[in-house]
Amino acid sequence: MSDALINATGTTTMTMAGAINAGLRAAMERDPKVLLMGEDIGALGGVFRVTDGLHKDFGDDRVIDTPLAESGIVGTAIGLGMRGYRSVCEIQFEGFIFPAYNQITTQLAKMHYRSQGNITLPLVIRVPYAGGIGAIEHHSESPEALFAHTPGLRIFSPATPQDAYDGIQQAIAAPDPVMFFEPKARYWDKGEVNTGTVETRLSDAAATIGISGSRVAREGTDVTLVAYGPTVRLALQSAELAAQAGTSVEVIDLRSISPLDSDAVVKSAKKTGRVVVTHEAVTTFGVAAEVSARVTEQAFFHLHAPVLRVGGFHTPYPGATFEHEYLPNLDRVLDAVDRVMKH
Amino acid sequence: MSDALINATGTTTMTMAGAINAGLRAAMERDPKVLLMGEDIGALGGVFRVTDGLHKDFGDDRVIDTPLAESGIVGTAIGLGMRGYRSVCEIQFEGFIFPAYNQITTQLAKMHYRSQGNITLPLVIRVPYAGGIGAIEHHSESPEALFAHTPGLRIFSPATPQDAYDGIQQAIAAPDPVMFFEPKARYWDKGEVNTGTVETRLSDAAATIGISGSRVAREGTDVTLVAYGPTVRLALQSAELAAQAGTSVEVIDLRSISPLDSDAVVKSAKKTGRVVVTHEAVTTFGVAAEVSARVTEQAFFHLHAPVLRVGGFHTPYPGATFEHEYLPNLDRVLDAVDRVMKH
Amino acid sequence: MENLGPLSEDGLVRLLNHQGEVLQDQTFSPYAAHLTPEKLREFWHDMSVLRAWDMEAMSLQRQGELGLWVQSYGQEAAQIGSGHALRDPDFVFPSYREHGVAMTRGVDLPSILRIFRGLEHGSWVPAEHGFHLYTLVIGAHALHATGYAMGMDRDGLVASGDADKDGAVVCYFGDGATSQGDIAESMTFASVNKAPVVFFCQNNQFAISESVTRQTNIPLADRAKGWGMPSIRVDGNDVIACHAVTQWALEHARSGNGPVFIEALTYRMGAHTTSDDPTRYRTKADEEYWSERDPIDRLTTYLEGADELPDEFREAVAAEGKALGARTRESVRGWSKPATLEMFDHVYAEPHSTVQAERAWFERYEQSFADVEASN
Amino acid sequence: MENLGPLSEDGLVRLLNHQGEVLQDQTFSPYAAHLTPEKLREFWHDMSVLRAWDMEAMSLQRQGELGLWVQSYGQEAAQIGSGHALRDPDFVFPSYREHGVAMTRGVDLPSILRIFRGLEHGSWVPAEHGFHLYTLVIGAHALHATGYAMGMDRDGLVASGDADKDGAVVCYFGDGATSQGDIAESMTFASVNKAPVVFFCQNNQFAISESVTRQTNIPLADRAKGWGMPSIRVDGNDVIACHAVTQWALEHARSGNGPVFIEALTYRMGAHTTSDDPTRYRTKADEEYWSERDPIDRLTTYLEGADELPDEFREAVAAEGKALGARTRESVRGWSKPATLEMFDHVYAEPHSTVQAERAWFERYEQSFADVEASN
Ligand SMILES: Cc1ncc(C[n+]2csc(CCOP(=O)(O)OP(=O)(O)O)c2C)c(N)n1
Ligand SMILES: Cc1ncc(C[n+]2csc(CCOP(=O)(O)OP(=O)(O)O)c2C)c(N)n1
Ligand SMILES: [Mg+2]
Ligand SMILES: [Mg+2]
């Protein structure tokens, strides 16, 4: 059990970036073993300023500008983890996580298992991801499925400042490695954050549960629309438009990708009989395939229509000029909603 | 168009390892630009002896024992590719491909796209994979889904000596990067190999088509059982047993994972109305999820039962003592066949 | 072993100091001997035009015409000096800041901006210029450079007996890049294969906000000692020295002696990119110190002192810079959005059923809107 | 820079040659001064018992009791010599061949075989022995070692003022491993953080079938020069020298002077693993040359010469080896297959719904067979 104390202090308007910043600060104040590691996270405050001010307040020893080497960042964080440190590694952009892929997949994910529980690595890897910001190559991708297939990792992606604030603290307090995917196009979206939402004392179990479940972002009866991270806002907008056209869409924000809260999705699918899943990642072999497979396995006889997927196309992320068409957008989501509603 | 000549010479009994060896030899004889690169592939002939004798016959310049660095192997092969060399990189065991993951995912897969077709990289990455050989950690895994999600790569896995023989030559002749997953538990299985199965002149198109499609490994009418690589033999055995119990199982050997020959699977699914997919890889977020999603999308109204998956569990590959239970086996596949037959 | 720190001037090859005085170096001065005033004016021309163009790109970005801009500002000497040492059989693997080298390789500068306007990821044909596409994943291209060099060697382009036909590869990367495992692996592959590759590290003292002291305790040129590879530290703001040491290194590599490592100590006079804010992590004083060492200024001083920079020449160069700026602006604003379906092109060299199916779906889908519009 | 080749004896620290003669070294002899005959007999004991046990494991593998075996044969001096330089606060990150070091850290040797019998992936509690699990992914653990060392530093275990409390990390890896990017990144992180880590490279001349000449042109100890890190080449078959240089390196690291690199030049006297066939890639002559340099033999010669190896001691050691062999055999054969459901344990520290659901399904599924059986 980690001695994490979360104080109830009321509600503030925050951007998602600000909420993560506040969550990091709270975690660092609470536990001197929490370290931040990454490229340019110190004086600069990170290229997205998510760690703004933390270097100034916690110093070089707690906010570490590392050499430019992602394998090195995650690998040394693993070693620090064996001495009880809780490193929060920032990967500057999702496209640059791959040099660390070996450490994450063969080492970090397996250490608890291969040590028969003797080694616990409560690391967090923060990954700004997804597109829609007009960026150049490698700065707009959604690689979450490339991690979800690997047992031993937990994967969380907040869609709101509140979930970002709570989630980052729970991820840090949780005893397992957590990949924390931050939808960068949502960094500057504002929302109300109740900084007292998490229980006062954050046990391992409570922290883990906090980052394991989905939420119903909007209730509905005709179609279940599953989204996470960057596409939740899109899903809500789609639901709004669909409602105007007379279709009641229930939006489920998965939040957690591993574990996948399929119980909640299946429950909703049984109610609506129609499911659409949307994410920015390449559709083939993506998260939506797993959602579709599980819904089919567990709710087949309740379905009126096949589960449809709306995601990125099977191409590398194209030049920014194409991204509006490349990414799921209102038209494409509503098209899928229409198609399932035909049955 | 590559000037690949494949001679018709008749039929021989070969192991899969022998068939790959013969295929590599044929490709090297045909095209002096074909190089083999890897660890211990020279004098030793590879830890599985797949390159046995090739170093002796083609010398140091064509069969290259590289430094022990997978990123280096794939990365330099990319550079060689830009000069027209066709490198066949051997990764010693699938568990050691991850240091090369960055090169494969961010460089190899994207080069054709980002250069607008100006750079073509006809590389082959040979990956002995999957379990069932009583090995230690990192020597029994099935990471194919971790590559299938990335556009720009082709992924092929032979289940028979014939497909291994044809496939390796087609993979080398094809103009795109191909990951060639070799089911190591099948290396010593024997089969008849017709060394004249491929057309005489192997065009880019013919080579690509050769590694893009599935095959019906056994015809049937009640259930479609989809497998590839190591599980094809298991699927055929299951079909045999099911037949004895009165269930007619059609076995589809996918062979190609990217592209996924969903047309063939969907066609069979429409005929049988019941689909089971089996692979050794971890089930969650695995290849079977994509198969299930596509079948559901395209054959939903023909299905009598949900698509079921039989794969590895959501744990790191356990100690070899557990592998019989960890991996799909006859009992588990037949159990799934029984379950879909209940509808 | 003495630790001199990565920013020491120890061992720096310098042939023209920032006061514009020529210095002598036993090994490298001979490699500058052929630099006539005319040639030096060419360097000055290139550096000046490059900088003018860079500023134009900068302002286009500020006007919202580009998503991002990465300046070469301050690194003109390292790029133009080394670039001019290259010949036709040579091949360059740049990182993403080597616009100056691109220029010496005949890449049309405005075309580079297609990348930064989000139209495509690479906008020249590498084989046409002996200049590979930019690589944004730090360090990854060093392995490609090494493999390419191994290929040149196999193809008989090294120590061929006819020195004019010999070629080598130059791989550019930054100080931060030296920490990536791929750079180390490149040095291993290059050295065991005696590959003709010159590793050219532009130490501009920063990896975004991080001082080079975050990457190493000792001069980066010394990294090469770990592989027994010859290495050179050069004043990266001295175009003559940069040129001379690159000549030396290329000759070494082209004649079959294997790889060389060059560290050019320079200074990134601008921000990392237009998204960056250097006021957060470095001082005005530091910037001023280095602005006094501006790589163009010192050549100006020298040429002026030698009475080799006539006004007409300066005016012509300024006019050329302006004209290029105008052409650049016009081009950039004229680039229209490509047809959306193009995003499906070139994923594979041969058809892939998933891409085909998605493309076909998308075409029908787009068409359905057109149909609706038409019927309205 | 002169290229001596990675197999040269240049700069090798040697305190006991293979004729059993003691040599002097200004720097390192003082670090062997405390080695009494008693202590040397302890080394001899450990090396001998280790070898006997290794042979036992070998034969168990041949009998089909183990899936694979990885011998330490030939590397006893490097492992026992360095292992004995370690103390309680120190921590070791082994690769997968360091059974000798495991022994000095109090790991019960037979338990190592649980891994090779496929029962589990790690069979001791690292924290109990200051000895991490084996890592099979070449080079990956060097970063863990570096991070761990950074943690020790933070925890005040370095240069604490009380030398007895100071600790350091030793990271073992092979000659082949030096080519992995992770090793280079470890050296970067260790040097910029002045982390107390000793990189101990056992150059046994082979990475499976590949000669070390495939990995480097120069002695591997020189790799450290690229980071300005002190390095030592030592005769890896000389237990005294291995001990002395490791002492030196550990003192250096523990007292806050940062990392050290040691290359111990030794020879893998057996195959890479029981799956390997060295006749395919090396000569009998080579094996014989090195068999004359057997690390145990030279200590035997020395101790015999000094009349410090009484027969009773030798017999007792032989008996101990035998007894350990018998206990090992018995243990291995006695290990029964764990309950299948255990394969679902420890994937996560806290419940994960996918694992829970699959485990529950599997339990019901297994139960269904039991039910069928029961009803038959
Ligand atoms: C693998 C990887 N990690 C992180 C980044 C993000 N990034 C882009 S440029 C840069 C700094 C590079 O510094 P340096 O190598 O010194 O080159 P410079 O930009 O100074 O020319 C970083 C961290 C990246 N592009 N690739
Ligand atoms: C990343 C990785 N690539 C390949 C392998 C396969 N492999 C196992 S041991 C070995 C050779 C290691 O040689 P060296 O580092 O010299 O250590 P030694 O076995 O000689 O002690 C190889 C290639 C691996 N385990 N990990
Ligand atoms: Mg820099
Ligand atoms: Mg070795």
Side-chain angles (χ1 to χ4, degrees), chain B residues 218-282:
Chain B
R218 176 189 173 114
E219 296 202 2
T221 51
D222 298 330
V223 177
T224 301
L225 179 55
V226 181
Y228 58 87
T231 54
V232 171
R233 190 177 74 169
L234 170 68
L236 289 169
Q237 290 168 344
S238 305
E240 191 56 42
L241 286 177
Q244 290 167 21
T247 304
S248 168
V249 173
E250 176 148 303
V251 175
I252 296 194
D253 173 3
L254 284 178
R255 303 199 295 193
S256 175
I257 294 163
S258 180
L260 191 69
D261 188 0
S262 40
D263 284 355
V265 179
V266 165
K267 191 177 149 208
S268 177
K270 285 184 178 168
K271 178 173 78 176
T272 62
R274 297 177 191 88
V275 180
V276 173
V277 193
T278 181
H279 55 56
E280 291 196 7
V282 169

Side-chain angles (χ1 to χ4, degrees), chain D residues 249-299:
Chain D
L250 281 166
E251 278 181 25
H252 180 96
R254 289 178 193 134
S255 36
N257 299 311
V260 180
F261 189 101
I262 295 173
E263 176 200 357
L265 181 62
T266 176
Y267 188 77
R268 196 194 70 207
M269 293 178 75
H272 171 68
T273 66
T274 46
S275 298
D276 182 33
D277 174 10
T279 64
R280 287 183 160 246
Y281 56 81
R282 70 184 188 189
T283 61
K284 264 255 132 0
D286 199 35
E287 288 176 1
E288 270 157 26
Y289 175 89
W290 283 98
S291 137
E292 284 160 19
R293 279 149 189 81
D294 185 307
I296 304 186
D297 288 355
R298 78 170 73 176
L299 187 57

Side-chain angles (χ1 to χ4, degrees), chain A residues 61 64 69 71-72 75-76 79-80 82-83 85 103 107 112-114 116 152-154 176 205 208 258-259 294, chain D residues 120 122 132-134 140 143-144 147-148 151-152 154-155 157 182 185 189 343 345-346 348-354:
Chain A
D61 273 359
I64 307 166
S71 185
T76 54
L80 282 157
M82 291 182 198
R83 280 206 70 85
Y85 288 92
Q103 285 289 340
Q107 304 299 310
H112 194 260
Y113 192 72
R114 66 194 299 273
Q116 296 169 81
L153 303 173
R154 294 180 184 274
D176 291 309
T208 303
S258 180
R294 292 207 193 180
Chain D
E120 56 206 34
H132 184 55
L133 299 178
Y134 285 170
L143 285 165
H144 312 162
Y148 194 94
M152 287 178 81
R154 271 157 206 279
D155 290 341
L157 293 178
D182 272 3
E185 295 191 9
F189 277 73
M343 74 182 168
D345 293 349
H346 306 303
Y348 296 89
E350 282 289 317
H352 182 284
S353 57
T354 304

